[in-house]
């Protein structure tokens, strides 16, 4: 809070201006309605998935526990940015105070970091399930799952506590117009009138580590899985293993691809318009796609959904 107060004193005002998506659109009202519908779909889809996993005993396994954590992250993730964006459009306001900006940035960075590590934990779970099926109940016990999930949330929050205070402590004596629809770290950092080159280098290294460690875990897990699948004699076993892993790999490619563009490519590759489009993809669209990927392609989840709908219909 002291850092934010110093920033406000330095600039003479504490409100940032979010230029947002709607200023770029020829039909802002229509775009607002579409984003609101997508937001409701993301919340309902992930909430239903969490409810199914919690209520159906057949889904009380480590894999579905991690999927429920992913859905929870996605629900919070999209709620950090979209409600304010829609409310600002409806109210005709596009300002955000420094404390609100800092809180939004912290939650966003924390959730992104947590999801990086959660996807790695999910890959490790698939590795143990396919490569060490007999030891799976021991290696992926409830205590281990809780430890891994807690570790993902903790490591994500460390990233948030590192990047947010430093970013918000810079003096902002240029225009306070953020060419984005939320307070993303690179979009806010560029507004600073001080030399941020050292911080940008450190941020780049931090993001490389945040990406590199999970990517190494995911890559090594799936290489070992592929070797195990190749040795399988049963065609049905191969098909089931591929089906289980393909959903997770789809989510990994979608999420990590967008993150690599945002945080690892040089600034010469970036424009405000491109950055916003990429951010729309992984902050708004990905939370909608994840429950569809894990439900439509999963017989257990679809079975649990049909069972729930049948029971409610009978009642």
């Amino acid at each position: 809070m002291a850092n934010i107060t110093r920033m406000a004193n330095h600039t003479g005002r504490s409100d940032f201006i979010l230029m947002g998506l709607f200023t770029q659109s020829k039909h802002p009202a229509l775009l607002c309605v579409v984003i609101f519908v997508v937001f409701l779909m993301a919340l309902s889809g992930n909430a239903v998935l969490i409810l199914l996993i919690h209520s159906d005993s057949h889904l009380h396994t480590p894999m579905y526990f991690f999927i429920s954590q992913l859905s929870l992250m996605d629900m919070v993730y999209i709620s950090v940015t979209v409600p304010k964006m829609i409310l600002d459009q409806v109210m005709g306001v596009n300002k955000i105070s420094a404390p609100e900006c800092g809180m939004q940035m912290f939650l966003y960075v924390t959730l992104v970091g947590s999801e990086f590590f959660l996807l790695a934990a999910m890959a490790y779970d698939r590795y143990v399930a396919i490569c060490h099926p007999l030891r799976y109940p021991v290696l992926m016990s409830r205590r281990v799952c809780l430890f891994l999930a807690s570790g993902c949330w903790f490591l994500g929050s460390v990233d948030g506590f590192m990047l947010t205070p430093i970013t918000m402590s810079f003096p902002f004596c240029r225009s306070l117009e953020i060419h984005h629809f939320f307070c993303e770290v690179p979009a806010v950092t560029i507004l600073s009138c001080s030399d941020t080159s050292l911080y940008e280098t450190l941020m780049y290294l931090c993001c490389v580590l945040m990406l590199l460690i999970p990517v190494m875990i995911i890559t090594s897990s799936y290489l070992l899985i592929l070797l195990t699948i190749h040795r399988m004699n049963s065609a049905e076993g191969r098909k089931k293993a591929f089906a289980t892993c393909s959903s997770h790999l789809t989510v990994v490619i979608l999420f990590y691809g967008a993150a690599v563009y945002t945080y690892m490519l040089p600034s010469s590759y970036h424009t405000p318009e491109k950055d916003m489009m990429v951010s729309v993809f992984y902050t708004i669209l990905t939370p909608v796609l994840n429950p569809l990927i894990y439900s439509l392609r999963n017989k257990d989840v679809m079975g649990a959904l049909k069972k729930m709908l049948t029971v409610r219909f009978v009642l």
Side-chain angles (χ1 to χ4, degrees):
M1 183 59 70
N3 288 335
I4 293 173
T5 304
R6 283 201 301 273
M7 186 209 74
N9 293 335
H10 190 82
T11 60
R13 47 184 175 152
S14 58
D15 288 344
F16 292 99
I17 300 171
L18 292 169
M19 301 307 291
L21 285 173
F22 302 113
T23 56
Q24 311 290 326
S25 174
K26 294 180 180 179
H27 305 284
L30 178 61
L31 181 60
C32 184
V33 171
V34 170
I35 291 175
F36 181 64
V37 171
V38 171
F39 172 66
L40 293 179
M41 288 173 61
L43 287 185
S44 58
N46 284 291
V48 167
L49 192 54
I50 292 172
L51 180 62
L52 287 174
I53 292 170
H54 178 73
S55 60
D56 195 303
S57 59
H58 294 96
L59 302 182
H60 292 176
T61 64
M63 181 179 79
Y64 292 110
F65 168 75
F66 289 125
I67 290 175
S68 69
Q69 290 293 303
L70 181 66
S71 290
L72 177 61
M73 287 180 185
D74 283 342
M75 288 177 70
V76 181
Y77 194 48
I78 196 169
S79 299
V80 168
T81 57
V82 172
K84 176 166 177 56
M85 179 170 59
I86 294 172
L87 188 62
D88 285 355
Q89 175 63 18
V90 172
M91 301 294 291
V93 178
N94 61 348
K95 292 184 178 181
I96 183 169
S97 67
E100 288 174 334
C101 185
M103 181 58 67
Q104 190 181 59
M105 185 184 297
F106 169 75
L107 291 172
Y108 168 79
V109 172
T110 295
L111 289 162
V112 170
S114 299
E115 195 155 330
F116 285 159
F117 288 103
L118 183 67
L119 291 173
M122 293 171 74
Y124 173 72
D125 169 68
R126 291 300 81 211
Y127 157 72
V128 176
I130 294 171
C131 300
H132 303 283
L134 298 179
R135 299 175 61 195
Y136 185 67
V138 176
L139 294 176
M140 294 303 295
S141 64
R142 181 169 179 80
R143 181 178 295 181
V144 172
C145 291
L146 289 172
F147 174 77
L148 288 173
S150 301
C152 293
W153 284 98
F154 172 74
L155 291 170
S157 65
V158 168
D159 200 28
F161 279 118
M162 282 173 53
L163 296 181
T164 305
I166 299 174
T167 304
M168 296 305 296
S169 66
F170 284 124
F172 299 93
C173 48
R174 298 175 185 170
S175 168
L176 295 183
E177 292 183 352
I178 300 174
H179 290 274
H180 218 301
F181 58 90
F182 69 98
C183 290
E184 193 172 34
V185 174
V188 176
T189 304
I190 202 172
L191 301 179
S192 176
C193 53
S194 62
D195 182 13
T196 60
S197 57
L198 177 60
Y199 171 62
E200 288 175 17
T201 303
L202 292 173
M203 182 173 66
Y204 175 80
L205 293 174
C206 176
C207 292
V208 167
L209 287 175
M210 291 288 287
L211 283 166
L212 189 61
I213 294 172
V215 165
M216 286 175 63
I217 295 172
I218 292 169
T219 304
S220 56
S221 294
Y222 276 104
L223 284 174
L224 292 169
I225 287 170
L226 286 173
L227 287 173
T228 303
I229 291 174
H230 180 69
R231 294 175 190 147
M232 285 182 178
N233 296 321
S234 169
E236 185 64 28
R238 288 183 183 181
K239 184 179 178 181
K240 187 175 180 180
F242 272 122
T244 304
C245 297
S246 60
S247 297
H248 182 248
L249 276 175
T250 304
V251 174
V252 167
I253 291 168
L254 290 175
F255 193 77
Y256 276 83
V260 167
Y261 170 84
T262 302
Y263 293 101
M264 294 183 66
L265 288 184
S267 56
S268 57
Y269 287 86
H270 292 260
T271 65
E273 292 76 18
K274 284 182 182 178
D275 290 351
M276 275 197 284
M277 288 303 103
V278 172
S279 294
V280 166
F281 181 76
Y282 72 88
T283 60
I284 299 176
L285 295 182
T286 301
V288 181
L289 295 174
N290 285 351
L292 294 176
I293 292 169
Y294 283 114
S295 60
L296 294 178
R297 302 180 65 182
N298 190 301
K299 292 181 181 179
D300 294 333
V301 174
M302 292 305 293
L305 181 59
K306 289 176 183 176
K307 187 193 299 183
M308 177 181 285
L309 293 175
T310 302
V311 170
R312 295 206 169 192
F313 180 74
V314 171
L315 293 176

